[in-house]
Amino acid sequence: MASLVALVSAFLILQILSPVDALSTNYYDHTCPLFEATVTAAVKKAMTNDRTVPAALLRMHFHDCFIRGCDGSVLLNSTGGNTAEKDGPPNISLHAFYVIDQAKKAVEALCPGVVSCADILALAARDAVALSGGPTWNVPKGRLDGRTSKASDTRQLPAPTFNISQLQQSFSQRGLSMEDLVALSGGHTLGFAHCSSFQNRIHNFSPTTDVDPSLSPSFAANLRNVCPLGNTAKNAGSTLDSTTTTFDNVYFKMLLQGQSIFTSDQSLLTNPQTKALVSKYASSQQEFNKAFIQSMIKMSSLTGGQEIRLDCKVVR
């Protein structure tokens, strides 16, 4: 019975998260030709004041796409009768929503009621990568904004404690392959992790060892110093690689050196296929960039919205 429920659940997710044929790279060429430049300007301006913005936007887009597709539902505010996705446990640390709001305001001034919040977020994620030294690409556009946003749905997001089987299931339910899993995990080249998301690896790892033996001893010691047992410092944690504001392949190099942060990162080395891809991307920035672009376009083509919001925080 449990397997039947899981099968039905996976089928429903695939039904909701199906690629939309109407997406086009030139979707707004006639209706809002300055749309892309306007969003890029908003992201660039925010980055001058806060270097964590690119990581925040990339993570925001990922978390949006994994629940009902890339429909901007992560942007909606909670209401008196509903707790929205952005207030679900995995999303509490999401930030930089103001960047999307500012971009939307500027776009609305140019082209009222034309551009969806979902498209703005997808483009902002691309700009976050490109403006951090990573590759750029033409983003297919034409998404609609969703009207539903529930905190309870954030349980569908892949957790940092996932093993390779759990990761594969999560991605395959959304039509994403093992290649996509590894390439998109490379997005961890930007970002920061709070102690709570990796404390399972550095304290009480198992009944016989305190620290995950797959971690480099010196790296683990540094993490334990930053995040001692019973840590109460709210903002304590670690960057996800040593060049946290630059989009590069250092994440993969560190992974091979036993310097990964999440269990889910280390899990990529427990499967021959994903381990080979990690090695490939660690040795070639160009190969990683190419794979990342393909997987981002594939992931961001999953959508299921119904409207174009005038305010990204509120349904019409």
Side-chain angles (χ1 to χ4, degrees):
M1 183 63 180
S3 61
L4 177 60
V5 171
L7 184 62
V8 171
S9 175
F11 175 75
L12 289 175
I13 289 175
L14 281 172
Q15 286 290 95
I16 295 171
L17 306 181
S18 56
V20 173
D21 296 331
L23 296 186
S24 166
T25 56
N26 60 1
Y27 190 85
Y28 297 111
D29 282 4
H30 299 295
T31 56
C32 197
L34 296 179
F35 154 61
E36 294 210 21
T38 303
V39 174
T40 302
V43 175
K44 191 177 295 186
K45 180 180 178 181
M47 283 178 61
T48 62
N49 299 317
D50 183 356
R51 293 297 296 169
T52 70
V53 161
L57 294 174
L58 186 57
R59 184 168 176 243
M60 191 187 300
H61 181 51
F62 183 91
H63 283 212
D64 184 40
C65 293
F66 260 61
I67 299 175
R68 290 192 190 83
C70 315
D71 66 348
S73 55
V74 74
L75 305 171
L76 287 170
N77 282 349
S78 295
T79 62
N82 178 66
T83 305
E85 289 171 32
K86 64 166 61 171
D87 293 319
N91 287 341
I92 291 295
S93 59
L94 288 181
H95 68 286
F97 290 101
Y98 72 91
V99 181
I100 305 303
D101 292 334
Q102 290 175 355
K104 176 64 170 175
K105 183 178 179 180
V107 170
E108 282 297 305
L110 292 172
C111 324
V114 172
V115 180
S116 68
C117 297
D119 274 345
I120 290 175
L121 178 53
L123 196 74
R126 188 277 311 271
D127 289 339
V129 171
L131 293 171
S132 298
T136 189
W137 62 94
N138 287 325
V139 176
K141 296 167 284 289
R143 297 165 191 79
L144 292 175
D145 296 322
R147 296 178 57 83
T148 302
S149 182
K150 296 182 179 298
S152 57
D153 288 339
T154 60
R155 288 176 296 197
Q156 298 174 19
L157 293 170
T161 55
F162 271 14
N163 61 35
I164 194 65
S165 297
Q166 292 169 310
L167 289 170
Q168 182 177 15
Q169 180 182 29
S170 179
F171 275 66
S172 65
Q173 284 178 343
R174 291 154 178 87
L176 299 171
S177 67
M178 295 289 262
E179 289 85 353
D180 298 320
L181 165 61
V182 179
L184 292 172
S185 293
H188 286 169
T189 182
L190 302 175
F192 178 89
H194 290 92
C195 296
S196 58
S197 61
F198 60 88
Q199 64 181 359
N200 64 304
R201 300 188 71 197
I202 58 173
H203 299 293
N204 303 316
F205 178 72
S206 74
T208 57
T209 181
D210 205 27
V211 177
D212 184 342
S214 66
L215 283 170
S216 154
S218 59
F219 187 71
N222 287 336
L223 293 180
R224 283 166 62 90
N225 184 53
V226 173
C227 301
L229 187 63
N231 168 69
T232 57
K234 183 180 178 181
N235 295 320
S238 172
T239 58
L240 295 175
D241 78 6
S242 58
T243 57
T244 189
T245 60
T246 302
F247 191 94
D248 54 27
N249 64 342
V250 170
Y251 161 81
F252 294 108
K253 293 177 180 179
M254 291 181 67
L255 183 50
L256 292 174
Q257 295 166 6
Q259 297 180 19
S260 59
I261 298 296
F262 299 139
T263 298
S264 57
D265 295 325
Q266 175 61 27
S267 294
L268 300 180
L269 299 183
T270 63
N271 173 282
Q273 181 185 1
T274 53
K275 184 176 182 179
L277 289 167
V278 168
S279 297
K280 179 181 179 180
Y281 301 151
S283 62
S284 174
Q285 177 74 53
Q286 185 176 5
E287 288 296 327
F288 168 47
N289 286 352
K290 185 172 73 171
F292 186 79
I293 290 171
Q294 291 175 345
S295 295
M296 280 292 286
I297 291 174
K298 186 175 177 183
M299 180 188 75
S300 69
S301 295
L302 301 172
T303 188
Q306 302 85 32
E307 66 179 16
I308 293 177
R309 274 182 239 138
L310 301 182
D311 180 340
C312 294
K313 303 184 293 296
V314 185
V315 296
R316 295 184 73 170

